[in-house]
């Protein structure tokens, strides 16, 4: 018996689309590669937004973002395990986008994701816009809300999500 299984978290093409969603949503503002990779986990499974250690308005915003969770099949790995398994696909997607000129190579050399000079096909631009507007509460949470949280340090995004080593950060 042959069985096909599709898991968006482990598909480099899907990772490229999700990373482009983040870049396009920010409208010309660069995003740290490490931040983008962490946020990508929450784009794949928005219900995990509820696991982020937040308070007040940000916690309420996470609740609204989590409603975009697609149906999942089977038992899911923990968030840190999922993050680790997604990393090679994210790296492949980022490197491909940089090589194609869709993401800026100089910015990537500085650890940032920024749109490059290569224009996107019209249908891809439309699709990115449609999905971002359909999931506006998720994108707002992952963009403006979590951008208020620094990446590094004991109260940074890496510490609050548990998806990065923060103890040796220079803050």
């Amino acid at each position: 018996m042959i069985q096909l299984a599709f898991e968006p978290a482990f598909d480099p093409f899907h990772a490229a689309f999700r990373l482009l969603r983040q870049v396009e949503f920010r409208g010309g503002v660069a995003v740290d590669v490490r931040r983008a990779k962490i946020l990508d986990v929450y784009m794949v499974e928005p219900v995990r937004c509820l696991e982020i250690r937040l308070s007040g308005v940000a916690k309420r915003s996470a609740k609204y973002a989590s409603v975009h969770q697609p149906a999942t099949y089977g038992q899911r790995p923990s968030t840190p395990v999922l993050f680790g398994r997604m990393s090679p696909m994210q790296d492949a997607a980022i490197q491909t986008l940089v090589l194609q000129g869709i993401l800026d190579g100089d910015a990537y050399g500085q650890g940032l994701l920024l749109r490059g000079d290569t224009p996107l096909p019209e249908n891809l631009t439309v699709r990115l816009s449609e999905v971002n507007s359909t999931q506006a509460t998720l994108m707002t949470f992952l963009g403006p809300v979590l951008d208020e949280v620094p990446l590094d340090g004991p109260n940074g995004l890496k510490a609050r999500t548990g998806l990065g080593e923060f103890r040796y950060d220079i803050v």
Side-chain angles (χ1 to χ4, degrees):
M1 172 183 213
I2 296 175
Q3 180 176 351
L4 295 176
F6 172 70
E7 180 58 56
F10 309 127
D11 180 6
F13 297 109
H14 205 276
F17 183 76
R18 292 188 310 267
L19 292 164
L20 278 175
R21 283 182 59 195
Q22 288 188 54
V23 170
E24 290 294 311
F25 186 78
R26 293 173 184 278
V29 177
V31 60
D32 187 289
V33 172
R34 299 169 301 158
R35 179 181 291 273
K37 289 175 73 170
I38 289 171
L39 298 180
D40 189 40
V41 171
Y42 300 101
M43 290 182 78
V44 169
E45 294 194 10
V47 74
R48 294 179 190 258
C49 293
L50 299 172
E51 298 172 1
I52 301 172
R53 189 172 38 89
L54 298 167
S55 61
V57 175
K59 190 68 170 174
R60 194 169 33 252
S61 185
K63 184 176 179 181
Y64 294 129
S66 70
V67 301
H68 296 289
Q69 175 68 30
T72 56
Y73 304 97
Q75 189 172 1
R76 311 301 294 167
S78 68
T79 305
V81 169
L82 180 66
F83 178 66
R85 289 181 185 172
M86 287 175 63
S87 186
M89 275 49 85
Q90 293 169 329
D91 291 337
I94 291 169
Q95 291 168 6
T96 301
L97 293 171
V98 169
L99 288 173
Q100 295 295 321
I102 295 171
L103 294 178
D104 184 81
D106 293 334
Y108 178 64
Q110 298 172 14
L112 301 171
L113 297 182
L114 184 64
R115 265 300 268 122
D117 296 331
T118 303
L120 294 175
E122 182 63 30
N123 58 349
L124 179 57
T125 305
V126 169
R127 183 71 180 136
L128 288 167
S129 178
E130 284 175 354
V131 176
N132 280 348
S133 64
T134 300
Q135 296 183 349
T137 53
L138 174 63
M139 296 309 292
T140 301
F141 174 71
L142 297 178
V145 173
L146 287 184
D147 282 350
E148 297 293 320
V149 178
L151 181 63
D152 298 320
N155 282 320
L157 188 63
K158 293 188 300 183
R160 290 172 184 261
T161 61
L163 299 181
E165 179 56 58
F166 65 91
R167 291 177 292 182
Y168 307 106
D169 289 344
I170 298 171
V171 288

